[in-house]
Amino acid sequence: MPSPNSSPTPAPTGSRRPPLAVLGAPPAFAEPLHVGRPNIPDRARLLARIESILDRRWLTNDGPLVQELEQTLCRRLGVRHVVAMCNGTTALEIAIRALGLTGEVIVPSFTFVATAHALMWQEITPVFADIEPRRHHLDPAQIERMITPRTTGIIGVHLWGRPCDVAAIEEIGRRRGLKILFDAAHAIGCTDRGRPIGSGGAAEVFSFHATKCVNAFEGGAVATNDDRLADKMRLMRNFGFAGYDNVVYVGINGKMSEVSAAMGLTSLEDLEQVVARNQANFEAYRRAFAEIPGLRLLDEPLGPDDASNYQYVVVQIDERATGLTRDELVAVLKAENVLARRYFYPGCHRMEPYRSRFPQAGLVLPVTERVAAEVLVLPTGTGVSGAEIDRIAGILQAAIERAGEVRAALAL
Ligand SMILES: *Cc1c(COP(=O)(O)O)cnc(C)c1O
C-alpha cells in the first residue's frame, strides 16, 4: 500500500501557485527581504537635527536632544522618569544593578539572549522559567516553581510587542518580596490595560536598536516612577559622576549620544505611521494564511484595553499539517530571498554559558522547547508591501502543496 507521503501531491492544473526556487526556479525576490529592516524616518527632519548638533558642538553628555527625547518619552509613557542609554542591554544592566538584584533572577529562556546576559554579566544567575503556549510570555505558575531562597527578582519580557501578564508578575513580586523589572525592548507604542507599557514593576527597559520599532541607530532607555532609582541610574550611566570631580558610585559609560537622540526623536515622530503599517501588514498575512493548512499566526486576541505595535509577524508551523518542518520552510523562503528568522531558537538555555551551566534546564521548559522549534518570524515594517506578503504566502502554500518534492530537493 503506498504511503500517503511517498508520492508528492501534483499541483492542480491551471494552478496559479508560483514556481519554487528550491525546485530550480529563479528566486521570487531579486533583493533579500529581511526581518527587522530599519524603518527610516523623515530625512529632512533628521538632518536638520544633526545640523543643530554640529552648530552647538554638544555631541554627547546629557545634551539637549537626549533631554528632549527623555521628556518626550516621559509624556508618551506616562512615567516620571526616562533615562536614555547607549543601548537596551546596557540599560538592562544598569537597571539590574541600580535595583540591587543579586543571587538568582527568574527570566524566560524564550527571549533575546541579552535578557539573560545582562544578569550573567554581573554574576547574577538567570533562572529560566517556562512560557505559556499562546502568547509565549512567562507563565506565572512556572515562575512560582522556580523561586528559591536565593531569588531576588523577576524580569518579565513583553515579547512580540504584546503586554505580558504584568498584574500576575507584580502580585508574585509583592507576595514573595521580589523586585520586578520588565524587558520592554519590543514594546514601545504598546498598551497594557489602557496604559502605555513603561510604568510596570520597579522599571521597564526599552531598546532603540536599528531593528526595533523606534530606533536611535543604537539606543535604549529605562522608564521608572521611582525618583531615587532614576537618580541612581543617571549616576551609573555616567561613571558615577555626581559633579565635575565627585564620583559617588561605581559606574559605566551608558550615555546616549546626541546623534542617536536625533534619530530617536525623529523615529518616534513616525511611530503611529509605522504601527499602522505593521498592523496592515499583519492583517495581510492573516488573510493570506487563513487558507494555508498548518500555519498558525500568533494572533491571540489582545485585551480590550491592550494594544500591540505589531512589530513581529510570528507564525507557528504544525509539521503534521504542512508536511514540512519549520527549518525546511526557512530554507524554502531563503531560496526565494525571503530571510525569515527562527527567533528565539534554540532558547537561551541551549546557548552558552547557560547550556553548560544548566544542562538539565530543558526538562522544566517543555513549552519553550516546542515553541522554539516551531516559530518562524516573517518580514514586516515599512519596507514590506501587501503585494510582497501575498507572494510570500503563495510561496509557502506552493511548498506545502508540493511538500514531498520540496523535502526531497532539500535533502540533496
Ligand atoms: C533588542 C533586545 C534587547 C537588547 O537591546 P539592544 O538595544 O540591542 O542592546 C533586549 N531584550 C530584548 C527582548 C530585545 O529584543
Side-chain angles (χ1 to χ4, degrees):
M1 200 172 86
S3 130
N5 292 330
S6 61
S7 59
T9 319
T13 42
S15 163
R16 292 186 291 108
R17 303 278 179 255
L20 291 170
V22 277
L23 300 179
F29 295 90
E31 297 289 325
L33 226 56
H34 294 270
V35 171
R37 188 139 194 247
N39 298 310
I40 304 300
D42 188 273
R43 276 170 205 241
R45 277 187 279 122
L46 172 62
L47 294 175
R49 285 189 166 112
I50 293 174
E51 294 277 4
S52 82
I53 297 169
L54 301 179
D55 291 345
R56 274 191 299 275
R57 294 189 183 234
W58 190 347
L59 307 185
T60 186
N61 286 19
D62 211 15
L65 295 184
V66 165
Q67 292 178 33
E68 186 185 339
L69 178 63
E70 290 180 342
Q71 283 148 22
T72 307
L73 286 166
C74 275
R75 283 193 301 274
R76 264 203 91 99
L77 304 177
V79 293
R80 290 170 61 80
H81 306 280
V82 168
V83 184
M85 309 260 187
C86 55
N87 59 59
T89 305
T90 303
L92 270 171
E93 286 170 5
I94 289 179
I96 287 164
R97 188 178 279 259
L99 266 178
L101 296 180
T102 57
E104 296 176 358
V105 172
I106 295 170
V107 289
S109 169
F110 196 65
T111 176
F112 183 57
V113 74
T115 321
H117 278 356
L119 292 163
M120 202 66 210
W121 191 253
Q122 25 206 350
E123 302 192 5
I124 300 165
T125 304
V127 172
F128 299 118
D130 211 4
I131 51 174
E132 44 73 32
R134 307 180 73 85
R135 297 183 172 82
H136 307 164
H137 293 150
L138 270 181
D139 177 344
Q142 298 299 320
I143 295 175
E144 297 263 8
R145 59 184 290 221
M146 306 313 286
I147 296 173
T148 76
R150 281 171 49 77
T151 309
T152 59
I154 305 167
I155 304 181
V157 182
H158 301 297
L159 205 73
W160 309 136
R162 301 160 62 103
C164 68
D165 197 342
V166 173
I169 293 172
E170 287 180 339
E171 190 278 323
I172 295 172
R174 275 193 300 276
R175 187 159 40 79
R176 307 294 296 258
L178 304 174
K179 291 177 175 158
I180 306 298
L181 196 60
F182 290 100
D183 179 338
H186 294 181
I188 189 80
C190 303
T191 307
D192 175 30
R193 292 164 295 159
R195 294 189 57 147
I197 283 182
S199 55
E204 302 218 32
V205 178
F206 292 88
S207 166
F208 306 126
H209 182 251
T211 54
K212 304 283 160 68
C213 233
V214 167
N215 95 82
F217 298 114
E218 292 268 5
V222 186
T224 182
N225 285 314
D226 181 331
D227 301 352
R228 297 238 314 267
L229 186 68
D231 285 347
K232 201 165 170 182
M233 291 191 295
R234 284 186 192 284
L235 292 167
M236 285 181 164
R237 84 171 164 181
N238 188 27
F239 313 100
F241 273 108
Y244 271 131
D245 305 308
N246 183 24
V247 169
V248 296
Y249 276 121
V250 60
I252 192 173
N253 184 353
K255 294 186 267 64
M256 178 183 272
S257 74
E258 284 291 275
V259 77
S260 279
M263 183 63 149
L265 280 163
T266 315
S267 177
L268 195 58
E269 286 163 358
D270 275 4
L271 179 58
E272 273 67 40
Q273 254 171 280
V274 169
V275 170
R277 182 60 176 277
N278 284 347
Q279 186 166 7
N281 283 350
F282 185 85
E283 296 303 336
Y285 274 113
R286 195 212 302 270
R287 280 193 301 276
F289 286 176
E291 296 152 32
I292 308 180
L295 300 189
R296 190 160 63 76
L297 196 63
L298 188 122
D299 64 351
E300 275 294 296
L302 289 154
D305 298 314
D306 292 351
S308 173
N309 56 19
Y310 297 94
Q311 193 190 337
Y312 295 93
V313 174
V314 181
V315 58
Q316 256 166 284
I317 310 302
D318 179 358
E319 186 193 346
R320 287 162 308 178
T322 56
L324 293 170
T325 62
R326 184 270 313 269
D327 291 354
E328 286 170 324
L329 288 172
V330 168
V332 164
L333 290 171
K334 182 156 181 254
E336 308 287 355
N337 249 333
V338 178
L339 307 182
R341 299 292 305 270
R342 304 187 292 177
Y343 293 153
F344 288 96
Y345 178 82
C348 295
H349 70 289
R350 285 176 176 261
M351 296 177 177
E352 293 298 355
Y354 315 107
R355 179 172 58 193
S356 296
R357 284 181 62 123
F358 317 117
Q360 308 295 326
L363 294 175
V364 290
L365 303 170
V367 181
T368 299
E369 299 238 305
R370 179 166 58 74
V371 167
E374 291 180 354
V375 159
L376 190 66
V377 177
L378 291 159
T380 186
T382 52
V384 178
S385 70
E388 288 172 325
I389 289 167
D390 286 343
R391 276 158 80 192
I392 293 170
I395 292 162
L396 289 168
Q397 187 154 23
I400 291 165
E401 284 174 3
R402 302 171 71 180
E405 269 176 276
V406 166
R407 179 162 282 178
L410 287 171
L412 287 179

